[in-house]
Amino acid sequence: MENFSSVNTSFNPSWNDWKWQMQNRITDAVGLASYISLTSRESAEIDQCLQHFRMAVTPYYASLMDPVDQSCPIRRQAVPAIAETYLAPYELRDPLAEENSSPVPNLVHRYPDRVLLLATHMCSMYCRHCTRRRVVGQEDRAITSAELERAAAYIEANPQIRDVLISGGDPLCMGDAVVERIVARVRRIAHVQIIRIGTRVPVVMPMRITSGLLAILKKYQPIWINTHFNHPRELTDEARAACAAIVDAGIPLGNQSVLLKGINDDAETMKQLLLGLVQARVRPYYLYQCDLSQGLSHFRTPVSKGVEIIQALTGNISGYAIPKFVIDAPGGGGKIPIGPEYVVAVEPDRFVLKNYTGDLYTYPNI
Ligand SMILES: *Cc1c(COP(=O)(O)O)cnc(C)c1O
Ligand code: SF4
């Protein structure tokens, strides 16, 4: 493994500079070869995938990959696999029909009181399982001032919108000034109560969480952040420090994981992840069934797998650590929470319930 010592972080004075991490992202098989061992066949397969979907991995996230183990959960989230070129018959380009629920460009309005603002198509890392892979990574630009104004005008004209979720792409891979421009504009809308930011930078580029960024965000409270840890190995000291800084800035931090075959689809791995998150003061929010986006069949588990995992954990670990398992309904139905089921029977005068160990209880329905 001596070959790989060149990436040792302690010798690189720029390592903790997020702009350096962005500029030095690994975007092809040749670049990956200084982090992991690749056979010529794997390199060829990566090249083939890159004709369909783009790749970018921060040096930080690449340094977490196992250099020899192809099944490494970090590596599988970052390195293109030939399976991505296979399209299953039920897979869709836009499985959540976001384009049909978009009243103005860059905005998805699906639920009555909240909207999704797509602030950029750029990310610091392009996750291989990305649900929005049809657009993410296609164009490296942030929302323009005119587009932002149009989205803000729509929100202004719809006073029932009290929650604006700024996502993308990853809004925090943009510079402080751009982030502030967007957040400040949304905050000027009187009926917007909370602003949420969806970002994976605490996981893939934790050095982005600078005191300067947090000082900006603090000015526009209340802000909530949701991030995206999928595996306990992602909870490095750096990632945990980034989470601590966010929470210390008074920003509640949640996590949305995707259930991924061979990465986190067993109760023990999921338990380690969830307990690690709670220790880092990150509240598990959703566990997503992997969407029907194109080229993801190698990541997808049966729905029953997620139910089984949540059932195995419920009651056995703190309620704080248990996310809601959801399917984002194909066609734009929104997120639907699914099982496990604890109501065994509903009768006119009583409920029959099952507890976490499977014992039955009746409770009067009066
Ligand atoms: C997920 C999502 C939201 C936020 O939903 P919550 O359940 O409140 O977290 C809002 N709009 C769209 C289009 C979404 O996909
Ligand atoms: S950070 Fe989010 S939007 Fe970006 S590639 Fe990963 S899953 Fe997709």
Side-chain angles (χ1 to χ4, degrees), residues 4 15 24 27 30 39 57-58 103 128 144 188 190 311 322 334 345:
F4 303 104
W15 188 260
N24 288 277
T27 55
V30 175
T39 62
V57 189
T58 57
R128 301 327 301 170
T144 63
R188 279 216 329 262
Q311 182 151 23
I322 313 257

Side-chain angles (χ1 to χ4, degrees), residues 53-261:
F53 299 106
R54 183 176 173 186
M55 156 186 182
V57 189
T58 57
Y60 164 80
Y61 199 74
S63 75
L64 307 182
M65 296 191 289
D66 187 306
V68 290
D69 179 8
Q70 287 179 23
S71 68
C72 164
I74 307 292
R75 183 163 163 169
R76 286 197 56 221
Q77 291 181 65
V79 177
I82 194 68
E84 289 177 41
T85 59
Y86 170 72
L87 299 189
Y90 48 80
E91 288 180 335
L92 302 162
R93 191 181 150 275
D94 177 16
L96 310 180
E98 293 185 323
E99 288 162 17
N100 299 341
S101 308
S102 181
V104 295
N106 307 88
L107 210 62
V108 184
H109 191 186
R110 167 155 305 150
Y111 300 105
D113 75 333
R114 54 209 188 279
V115 287
L116 173 62
L117 175 62
L118 301 172
T120 174
H121 287 162
M122 221 185 335
C123 294
S124 49
M125 173 170 113
Y126 294 112
C127 310
R128 301 327 301 170
H129 56 275
C130 181
T131 191
R132 226 170 264 136
R133 57 201 335 237
R134 72 181 188 283
V135 286
V136 162
Q138 298 303 309
E139 210 184 353
D140 269 359
R141 69 172 182 90
I143 188 169
T144 63
S145 298
E147 288 166 337
L148 177 61
E149 218 28 67
R150 213 172 147 198
Y154 176 87
I155 300 169
E156 270 162 352
N158 287 273
Q160 76 277 23
I161 297 169
R162 41 160 290 277
D163 174 358
V164 176
L165 167 50
I166 302 171
S167 184
D170 194 327
L172 297 189
C173 71
M174 301 186 287
D176 289 357
V178 185
V179 173
E180 178 159 23
R181 179 164 64 81
I182 297 169
V183 173
R185 180 62 188 92
V186 174
R187 183 44 83 212
R188 279 216 329 262
I189 306 169
H191 57 263
V192 171
Q193 295 170 357
I194 64 165
I195 296 174
R196 287 198 258 181
I197 297 175
T199 175
R200 207 177 183 200
V201 300
V203 186
V204 297
M205 192 172 64
M207 47 294 281
R208 174 67 186 100
I209 305 301
T210 59
S211 52
L213 174 68
L214 293 171
I216 290 170
L217 296 180
K218 272 176 102 161
K219 293 194 278 179
Y220 304 98
Q221 293 276 34
I223 293 184
W224 294 57
I225 292 182
N226 256 333
T227 189
H228 175 177
F229 286 92
N230 286 330
H231 192 276
R233 234 187 270 172
E234 294 170 333
L235 285 162
T236 61
D237 290 345
E238 292 94 328
R240 288 155 42 88
C243 294
I246 291 170
V247 180
D248 285 345
I251 299 172
L253 184 55
N255 187 67
Q256 315 194 129
S257 299
V258 182
L259 186 59
L260 297 169
K261 192 197 279 177

